[in-house]
Amino acid sequence: MNSNNSTALRGTRVAGLGAAAALTIGLLSTSVAAADTFVPLPDGSKNA
């Protein structure tokens, strides 16, 4: 019986660490995705 409880605890711990890692990666990638880059168009034209 005790073995089953430790397996469930280990699974919960692994799931929690995985969720924390996914959240961290998601928050770190947000700053990169929000970066603005200005690239001038040829002949100074603009697209509408």
Side-chain angles (χ1 to χ4, degrees), residues 15-40:
L17 288 174
L23 180 66
T24 302
I25 291 171
L27 290 176
L28 288 176
S29 66
T30 302
S31 62
V32 175
D36 292 330
T37 303
F38 176 73
V39 179

Side-chain angles (χ1 to χ4, degrees):
M1 231 194 249
N2 194 13
S3 174
N4 190 17
N5 190 18
S6 66
T7 303
L9 182 62
R10 182 177 294 153
T12 303
R13 186 176 298 155
V14 169
L17 288 174
L23 180 66
T24 302
I25 291 171
L27 290 176
L28 288 176
S29 66
T30 302
S31 62
V32 175
D36 292 330
T37 303
F38 176 73
V39 179
L41 296 173
D43 299 328
S45 63
K46 290 186 177 181
N47 287 341

